[in-house]
Amino acid sequence: MADGARKLEPFYPDVLGAITGGTRISMDKLQCALGIFPRRTYINQPVEVVLILQSMVNQNMQVKVGIQLPTQDKKGNPVVLDVPKKLISLGMRPGEVGVLNIPLVPLPPTQPGTGFPVRVAVRFRAAAEATHYVRPPTGGAPPSVLSVSQFKLQALRDVEYSAHTWNQSAEIITSYFDVAPRRLPPTPLDLKARYESLWTHEEMAEERELVQARVQDAVYLSAGLTRATVYEPLVAAVDERFARRGLPLHPGEAKAIAKMMTYTLDEGLDLEPGFNMQESRWFQTLCQVIAYNPEVEQMKKGELAVKYLFDSALFDAIILGFAVIQPKVKEDLGDSAERINYANRVLTWLAGQIEPDLNYVYLPLVLGGVVVNQFVTLRGDNPWIMLDELREAYRGRVRLATGEAVTIFKMMGSLLDDAEEQLRRARIPRP
């Protein structure tokens, strides 16, 4: 077995994302998602608040969940909801994922109506020191092992989860339910909040074994992740994902980032000194994905890259990007630990936890895309086109640059000049 395979140490799986389809509220060390099931009920009949909680760190955590219920409907009529507790405290183990179910019953004189809001406030306490994150900010690969049945898993997936925050506070999530115009006779109910663990770090031993068994399958599958299969899908995905997080891109910028990611998936980790494909985050994610669902081997490679590998490939592209531009610029781009911290910050932005910053676009992704541009070409793709589009974007961006961005755009101008000169020397004509 290759050395890289022996070093395989995957992140904990994204159990929450496997349940909600990706919907999540991120609060640094804790992620959660809220739903109400069923979304429509009757007077005297219960609904359940369903709260998925996913620890992101390797330490115990105390979580407090508060329920805020409406007292009036939209018309000003009184609303009465029976609930077992309005404040629930629970403990979570390192990396644990669990579900908290809280029943609610609308009682007379509540009137039928739609859109009754339920607000859930989630707060947690975990030791600040020696924090080790066991999941990336964007969630990561799906789980191969769960401590609940497939029936229970499907029941949780049937819930419609919400990403609505109240007053822009990530700690307060809102979901809604309707009360139908029919009253059923009251039935004696023993209302109790229930917490159930869905995944604990004990599952990780089996997860590692299943993932390790897929290393050779991943090596074989990775050979199909080439510029011909992944570049075009990545351009579209980069454009969409960055715009969604508040950084709309010029066409050349999206292409440059996609080229840096394509180089990382295709051959860059084998060509650049100090890198090893099997030690990369995207390769370890690929092993986890195959262990989760072997049918992904039949997927189109571009779809596989965008759906399952995008976040981990972006992380690796940032680390590799620093390496390819460092020999070409005079500025100190930081040591390995600083580059990893920066890459994690970009992913934290991509997860919606921090504000957008144009530096995340350029350093080192677009800059790296300029360097690898002529190595990542497809049939009919003239490398001048991206450089010309980037030159146009550069002219608009550099006028507004302040602070650290001034240095970054100075590097950008130098790298563009160098890349254009290389194309002239190679006698590659402009289209």
Side-chain angles (χ1 to χ4, degrees), residues 326-343:
Q326 183 64 89
K328 296 179 174 291
V329 298
K330 297 177 182 177
E331 286 75 11
D332 179 7
L333 299 178
D335 60 21
S336 175
E338 290 170 320
R339 294 176 183 185
I340 289 171
N341 286 337
Y342 179 83

Side-chain angles (χ1 to χ4, degrees), residues 116-160:
F116 289 87
V118 176
R119 293 192 178 103
V120 174
V122 181
R123 290 176 175 82
F124 67 91
R125 188 174 73 249
E129 63 274 4
T131 298
H132 174 65
Y133 285 81
V134 293
R135 292 182 170 93
T138 46
S144 307
V145 183
L146 284 172
S147 56
V148 294
S149 67
Q150 284 296 315
F151 177 80
K152 174 72 175 180
L153 183 62
Q154 188 56 51
L156 290 171
R157 284 175 171 160
D158 288 341
V159 179
E160 185 180 336

Side-chain angles (χ1 to χ4, degrees), residues 117-290:
V118 176
R119 293 192 178 103
V120 174
V122 181
R123 290 176 175 82
F124 67 91
R125 188 174 73 249
E129 63 274 4
T131 298
H132 174 65
Y133 285 81
V134 293
R135 292 182 170 93
T138 46
S144 307
V145 183
L146 284 172
S147 56
V148 294
S149 67
Q150 284 296 315
F151 177 80
K152 174 72 175 180
L153 183 62
Q154 188 56 51
L156 290 171
R157 284 175 171 160
D158 288 341
V159 179
E160 185 180 336
Y161 292 93
S162 169
H164 298 292
T165 56
W166 183 71
N167 205 21
Q168 295 187 327
S169 170
E171 296 178 345
I172 303 177
I173 322 164
T174 306
S175 192
Y176 302 86
F177 71 97
D178 303 336
V179 177
R182 181 183 175 192
R183 180 181 297 187
L184 298 180
T187 55
L189 294 170
D190 183 17
L191 296 184
K192 285 184 179 178
R194 306 182 315 279
Y195 177 76
E196 181 181 4
S197 181
L198 303 175
W199 193 95
T200 66
H201 66 277
E202 282 88 359
E203 264 84 53
M204 199 59 200
E206 185 178 351
E207 184 90 26
R208 283 192 195 95
E209 287 186 17
L210 291 169
V211 169
Q212 194 73 56
R214 292 296 188 173
V215 168
Q216 292 308 313
D217 294 326
V219 170
Y220 174 77
L221 195 58
S222 68
L225 299 172
T226 66
R227 62 200 69 183
T229 60
V230 303
Y231 172 66
E232 292 293 346
L234 282 175
V235 172
V238 165
D239 196 49
E240 190 272 330
R241 292 284 293 274
F242 276 62
R244 193 197 313 165
R245 291 302 180 200
L247 288 174
L249 302 175
H250 292 277
E253 294 167 342
K255 290 176 184 177
I257 295 172
K259 286 204 172 188
M260 191 63 240
M261 293 179 71
T262 298
Y263 186 62
T264 305
L265 288 168
D266 188 354
E267 59 186 1
L269 295 172
D270 294 323
L271 294 178
E272 299 296 334
F275 291 89
N276 181 323
M277 182 189 74
Q278 291 193 34
E279 293 175 16
S280 70
R281 186 177 288 192
W282 75 254
F283 182 82
Q284 297 189 21
T285 301
L286 180 60
C287 294
Q288 288 180 280
V289 169
I290 300 172

Side-chain angles (χ1 to χ4, degrees), residues 289-316:
V289 169
I290 300 172
Y292 165 72
N293 179 13
E295 292 181 7
V296 300
E297 296 181 66
Q298 310 306 319
M299 288 178 71
K300 290 182 178 179
K301 299 304 182 290
E303 183 184 356
L304 172 66
V306 167
K307 183 173 182 179
Y308 289 113
L309 305 180
F310 185 93
D311 298 338
S312 55
L314 186 69
F315 176 91
D316 292 328

